[in-house]
Amino acid sequence: MTTAQPAGTNPGKSRNTTATDIAYIAVFAAIIIVLGFVAIPVGAAGVPIVLQNAAVILAGLVLGRRRGLATAAIFLAVGLALPVLAGGRTTIAALGGATVGYLVGYLVSAWVAGAIAYTAPFRTNRGAALGILIVAGYVALFFQYLFGVFGMMWRLDMTFGAAWAAQVPFLLPDAVKVALMIAIAAAVHAAFPDLRRARARA
């Protein structure tokens, strides 16, 4: 005896989509981890210039808000046991330092980047889509800064203005990194248009 499936559903396709999502999330989490080997100390607060923050935004731009958030969450979860954060730190160690706010910012920025990016008309208007990706990337970066500022105010007893001033050395490097991530995301969406449609079907 078989049970009829609701009209319009396809369990096999749903399982394939879930497996594909897991693969995408794993790949991007691995990319973020690998980029943790690059860290350049700068600024009076001792917060390094890293590539991981840009890679988290890239995950959101490419995968969308849910998969992007899942990628950032898995990356931080792995960091609970292994030193995968920039500078060879664990998530637990970072939670006790000045960079705690940036970890929260990673989660928020991945979600924000994906939420904005997936409103882009990738198939019908690539110019507008690129503009939306630009907005998504830099709004996501702003949230990383914002939560980073709150973390520094908490851990270092800095004023709001002083904590924002500590971000200045990172503005240009981060702007360049995010521009690169936006270009990569635009190329990925152009080459793999099913990325967005698969997420919508799921």
Side-chain angles (χ1 to χ4, degrees):
M1 179 176 179
T2 59
T3 302
Q5 296 294 332
T9 63
N10 187 327
K13 182 176 291 186
S14 178
R15 285 193 295 269
N16 289 339
T17 299
T18 300
T20 301
D21 284 348
I22 293 173
Y24 286 146
I25 290 167
V27 167
F28 272 86
I31 290 172
I32 296 171
I33 289 171
V34 169
L35 291 179
F37 291 102
V38 180
I40 305 171
V42 67
V47 180
I49 291 177
V50 299
L51 294 178
Q52 283 183 331
N53 68 320
V56 168
I57 292 174
L58 176 63
L61 294 176
V62 172
L63 301 180
R65 65 182 186 273
R66 293 185 182 90
R67 292 179 297 186
L69 176 61
T71 300
I74 289 174
F75 157 62
L76 294 177
V78 172
L80 291 173
L82 300 174
V84 298
L85 272 68
R89 297 171 303 153
T90 63
T91 299
I92 293 176
L95 287 173
T99 58
V100 58
Y102 294 102
L103 301 187
V104 179
Y106 281 3
L107 297 170
V108 175
S109 65
W111 192 94
V112 168
I116 298 175
Y118 268 45
T119 66
F122 294 110
R123 295 181 63 83
T124 60
N125 190 331
R126 291 190 178 182
L130 178 59
I132 291 174
L133 286 177
I134 291 172
V135 171
Y138 286 108
V139 169
L141 179 62
F142 167 78
F143 276 100
Q144 288 188 1
Y145 283 146
L146 180 63
F147 283 93
V149 163
F150 289 148
M152 292 171 69
M153 291 172 65
W154 177 32
R155 292 298 189 187
L156 301 178
D157 197 27
M158 299 176 73
T159 65
F160 185 74
W164 270 113
Q167 312 304 310
V168 172
F170 307 98
L171 294 179
L172 181 57
D174 281 347
V176 173
K177 288 185 297 182
V178 172
L180 177 60
M181 298 303 109
I182 291 168
I184 293 173
V188 170
H189 281 294
F192 303 99
D194 283 342
L195 270 174
R196 184 183 179 189
R197 291 206 301 270
R199 183 68 266 164
R201 286 195 297 267

